[in-house]
Amino acid sequence: MLENKVALVTGSTSGIGLGIAQALASAGCDVVLNGFGDADEIGRLRQALSEEHGVRVLYSGADMSRPAEIAEMIRQATTELGHVDILVNNAGVQHTAPVEEFPAEKWDWVLSINLSGPFHAISAVLPQMRARNWGRIVNIASTHGFVGSVHKSAYVAAKHGLIGLTKVVALETATTGVTCNAVCPGWVLTPLVQKQIDALQSRDGLTPEAAKHRLLAEKQPSLDFVTPAQIGAAVAFLASDAAAQIRGAALPVDGAWLAQ
Ligand code: NAD
């Protein structure tokens, strides 16, 4: 479906980003992986993805909080794979604290990776997408792009901002073959969420299963986690020709979190 396309997925060494990289590779894309982790483990991931799907897989360790490294990653991907057709801004981090205790450096850190990183990546990749008159930009926002939750001021602000950025890029590219959309996951069981389950478990003396249930019951009516593969499938759909007129949308994949 997406053969001969090159997809760059930020934060794809783990969790949702890895699910997206797998979905795009299985649709035929060459893939650029990005994110942190053990070098051997990342090497194995690269090889497995490449062998399973018969695609080229590149890795960049660019830090999404550093604009110069983002520009270098796009340059490297373009040089080594020829072009970048699909950009998925997925890398994201969380820090929780009441707003009056929220450390300023944590605010800057969350904003730099979750919001400024996508801006820098979009501005670096858009010229070549415009030149070919084809491109797909998908920003992984969150249900927290629409609603708040206590103790997540930086994350919620960044995700609301990311949906705003998505709309503006969609408008500026509206008459071209480039589209820009957001996907808004509810709870997905990844390392980012496991940390919050662990905190709930030790705070309230719960079993792991009870802590998971409480986390879901507070927000997600389906009482079931979304999977990285389901987010990957949503991104692959937005990258397809069928989605060419879906522009500036923010698609919830959230077990009815936002229906309440
Ligand atoms: P995760 O912690 O499992 O993975 C995050 C990825 O980003 C990893 O590959 C990590 O190495 C990478 N990363 C972290 N800091 C980076 C940096 N400075 N530069 C480059 N890469 C960096 O997280 P996840 O749960 O898979 O989250 C992925 C995205 O989905 C995030 O944007 C998150 O906000 C969003 N999201 C997650 C959930 C959820 O329930 N897990 C819900 C809604 C939205």
Side-chain angles (χ1 to χ4, degrees):
M1 187 174 78
L2 295 170
E3 265 152 39
N4 303 320
K5 303 291 188 204
V6 176
L8 189 158
V9 185
T10 70
S12 46
T13 52
S14 151
I16 293 172
L18 183 55
I20 295 168
Q22 283 163 337
L24 292 174
S26 84
C29 292
D30 292 329
V31 169
V32 183
L33 293 176
N34 158 257
F36 302 145
D38 176 70
D40 290 342
E41 180 57 27
I42 293 170
R44 279 192 290 277
L45 264 180
R46 242 181 113 170
Q47 198 181 348
L49 258 186
S50 175
E51 284 175 4
E52 191 176 340
H53 303 291
V55 298
R56 294 179 292 173
V57 181
L58 198 71
Y59 167 71
S60 162
D63 182 337
M64 291 302 292
S65 69
R66 296 173 186 245
E69 293 188 20
I70 297 170
E72 174 55 23
M73 171 173 64
I74 307 272
R75 195 203 58 74
Q76 182 201 352
T78 307
T79 306
E80 295 188 26
L81 297 177
H83 35 95
V84 176
D85 307 290
I86 300 166
L87 167 68
V88 185
N89 283 307
N90 165 80
V93 291
Q94 174 68 282
H95 182 81
T96 58
V99 69
E100 69 274 30
E101 293 165 21
F102 210 95
E105 65 277 10
K106 289 290 187 192
W107 170 275
D108 290 343
W109 177 66
V110 172
L111 269 286
S112 72
I113 295 163
N114 295 16
L115 180 57
S116 300
F119 158 73
H120 292 295
I122 291 167
S123 63
V125 86
L126 199 48
Q128 59 166 289
M129 289 180 175
R130 283 190 189 278
R132 287 189 300 276
N133 198 33
W134 199 94
R136 294 288 187 267
I137 299 167
V138 183
N139 297 320
I140 306 304
S142 168
T143 46
H144 285 120
F146 287 105
V147 295
S149 287
V150 294
H151 301 171
K152 294 186 175 174
S153 53
Y155 187 88
V156 169
K159 295 299 188 181
H160 276 66
L162 188 54
I163 291 178
L165 175 64
T166 302
K167 291 174 182 170
V168 172
V169 175
L171 288 172
E172 292 184 7
T173 54
T175 59
T176 75
V178 181
T179 74
C180 181
N181 293 288
V183 172
C184 300
W187 290 126
V188 185
L189 190 51
T190 66
L192 182 141
V193 166
Q194 188 62 49
K195 280 185 210 143
Q196 297 174 61
I197 294 170
D198 294 345
L200 204 59
Q201 201 183 323
S202 58
R203 194 193 70 193
D204 296 350
L206 300 170
T207 64
E209 280 317 303
K212 276 184 197 164
H213 183 81
R214 178 162 317 165
L215 186 94
L216 287 167
E218 275 174 11
K219 301 284 186 186
Q220 195 146 302
S222 67
L223 298 179
D224 208 355
F225 288 101
V226 180
T227 66
Q230 288 164 344
I231 302 297
V235 172
F237 169 66
L238 289 172
S240 73
D241 286 338
Q245 286 307 325
I246 301 181
R247 293 169 182 265
L251 173 69
V253 183
D254 69 347
W257 180 325
L258 291 172
Q260 301 165 99

